Amino acid sequence: MINHSSTEQHNGPDPAVIVIFGASGDLTQRKIVPALYSLYLENRLPAGFAIVGVARTPMSDDAFREHLRPGAAQFARRKGDDADWRTFAQRLSYVAGDYRDDALWQQLVAHLDQCDEAWGTARRRAFYLATPPALFVPIVEQLSRVGICRDCNLTRIVLEKPFGHDLASARTLNHVLSTLVNESQIYRIDHYLGKETVQNIQSLRFANAIFEPLWNRRYVDHIQITAAEQLGVEHRGGYYDQAGAVRDMIQNHLLQMLCLTAMEPPIAFTADEVRNKMVDVLRAVAPVAPVDAVRGQYGPGNVGGAAAIAYRAEREVAATSQTETFAALRLFVDNWRWQGVPFYVRTGKRLPSKVTEIAVQFRPVPHQAFAPADVADWQPNRLVIRIQPQERIALRLQVKQPGRGMHVEPVYLDFCYADYFGAALPDAYETLLLDVLRGDATLFMRADQVEAAWSVVMPLLEHWASVPPDDFPNYAAGAWGPPAADALLERDGRRWLVSE
Ligand code: BG6
């Protein structure tokens, strides 16, 4: 029997103070506060809420509000007027200090008590660690020391990625956290899981009876998952040069999309039932053979009509960097359903367009009964799930061309979110923040999920570290990665579909 524990039910959001560590940083200004502002404007936050920023930079409450305002104006999905901002801003306050300094924590504890009185936040707290990962443990240690995360039902801790640099560091981090707080309090963010279209993979698969019979090795030829970006590393060169495409995108976002595509139907949409099925997929992924992996790094080029510098010329990137900005892998999910079906995944920076897409390529018909000339344009069925932009689901079918005998031609049945639902989709952070306040961890990574995802990529990362690339940079900014990425599919008689 399923245990519907209180943390697994879809409740309304609980009143709470949201405490953001790293509050003077980019993530707070561009993502967290704009998401909270949009939720506020749509009346989806609880009446009792307050937002407390914590960081080292000295700032008054008013300066903090002014610091956040342009971000809300630019990035929030919903735009309010001056009066809306002023009412929202009353709930914002700021505490400055050094995380290692006990005085900060005394001040914070007192301030949170005042918030409870002023805004009816009822001792509930969501601590959002939008800080460099090196601060996760020191901050959670302090939270534990001052006793404000003792009650598992009242306090939640949100951790941004990256969660560890490799399997060993992720394990250590999980272990240390487990000595300080309960796993049910930890919400590890993978913002892709908050995207509407990523969540919709589950409704597409499990709310429609017609796909499940086809969703297996018998009918699926292969699956492709592409997450391409036009952007380079922007101002994050220091972080990215230590990470690279596999750690930054594949270990988390792409593997999670793969899990949703490949998982077995859960018996209920509760956090643990769904995550159990997702982690099963990761455990079934075979170690990636080096011959099934391609790495690339961009040189100078042209992206979207503008000149782009080489990765090695980016700020805070080593002039001889061997970090990959592109990776393409052929993965196999070794289980009954998917045995022998390749999952090709690729991601890269400075590619020709920003597009995230999953393509399920079905097998050809077993026998062509039509005259060869009639099926000259024929192509196998394909289901395309466009995660972003122009979010859509398209199914390729063959139809008879009018008036040309039995000549068939491929067409798409195309469902576009914007055309049907109109308004812009909620930002992933809106969904995830609301889930934190509701206590629903379905879209967050459990400790074992993170470790299983690291286990998938570790053998490859270790191999790559031991055999440095000798051809970097090997693709021009604005190209679809190095030629070897095309060769990876060509040797299987296939090609990447997004670049068609
Ligand atoms: C982040 C990565 O997790 O995801 C970035 O660290 C990347 O490097 C970003 O640009 C992509 O997210 P999105 O939502 O723009 O596809």
Side-chain angles (χ1 to χ4, degrees), residues 68-79:
L68 296 175
R69 192 171 180 172
Q74 190 179 347
F75 302 112
R77 182 175 52 89
R78 298 297 302 258
K79 313 284 175 210

Side-chain angles (χ1 to χ4, degrees), residues 22 24 78 82 86 101 103 113 235 275 321 325 329 362 474:
S24 55
R78 298 297 302 258
D82 275 2
R86 277 199 302 274
D101 180 358
D113 288 342
H235 54 282
R275 295 188 295 179
S321 171
T325 58
L329 315 181
F362 291 94
N474 59 1

Side-chain angles (χ1 to χ4, degrees), residues 206-227:
F206 305 133
N208 295 289
I210 60 170
F211 295 114
E212 178 55 17
L214 309 177
W215 212 261
N216 55 54
R217 64 192 302 278
R218 186 149 178 224
Y219 294 101
V220 175
D221 178 75
H222 73 279
I223 291 178
Q224 296 190 12
I225 305 178
T226 292

Side-chain angles (χ1 to χ4, degrees), residues 244-451:
V246 171
R247 287 186 165 88
D248 186 49
M249 293 289 290
I250 294 187
Q251 185 271 343
N252 34 73
H253 308 323
L254 277 91
L255 285 181
Q256 292 311 308
M257 288 191 282
L258 184 148
C259 286
L260 292 169
T261 310
M263 69 193 266
E264 295 302 314
I267 53 173
F269 272 91
T270 58
D272 277 331
E273 292 301 333
V274 171
R275 295 188 295 179
N276 288 345
K277 296 294 191 246
M278 290 172 77
V279 84
D280 280 351
V281 176
L282 293 171
R283 293 205 177 105
V285 176
V288 196
V291 62
D292 284 344
V294 171
R295 55 184 153 170
Q297 188 193 77
Y298 61 84
N302 191 293
V303 183
I309 58 171
Y311 173 69
R312 287 176 176 178
E314 302 271 12
R315 258 196 308 148
E316 293 178 42
V317 170
T320 55
S321 171
Q322 295 177 332
T323 300
E324 81 283 358
T325 58
F326 175 96
L329 315 181
R330 185 176 76 154
L331 298 169
F332 288 98
V333 179
D334 282 343
N335 63 15
W336 192 285
R337 186 188 286 265
W338 295 115
Q339 191 64 45
V341 177
F343 286 72
Y344 301 101
V345 304
R346 72 175 163 166
T347 185
K349 301 237 179 243
R350 288 294 191 215
L351 301 187
S353 49
K354 165 88 178 163
V355 51
T356 305
E357 190 170 294
I358 301 171
V360 180
Q361 179 65 63
F362 291 94
R363 289 188 189 281
V365 290
H367 169 67
Q368 282 288 12
F370 301 100
D374 285 339
V375 287
D377 299 326
W378 178 93
Q379 293 183 25
N381 299 118
R382 182 187 303 161
L383 181 69
V384 175
I385 303 169
R386 172 65 72 92
I387 304 297
Q388 61 187 15
Q390 292 119 29
E391 294 81 358
R392 63 198 325 118
I393 296 172
L395 179 62
R396 186 168 70 187
L397 304 171
Q398 317 301 313
V399 298
K400 178 185 169 306
Q401 265 187 18
R404 286 191 58 196
M406 274 315 288
H407 192 93
V408 299
E409 171 182 316
V411 294
Y412 274 102
L413 288 183
D414 200 347
F415 159 73
C416 167
Y417 279 76
D419 291 350
Y420 188 80
F421 290 112
L425 298 177
D427 182 79
Y429 278 87
E430 293 175 36
T431 306
L432 296 173
L433 283 160
L434 218 45
D435 281 357
V436 170
L437 297 179
R438 281 194 191 117
D440 181 351
T442 312
L443 300 178
F444 295 83
M445 309 281 289
R446 219 168 44 188
D448 58 341
Q449 270 177 298
V450 177
E451 291 181 18

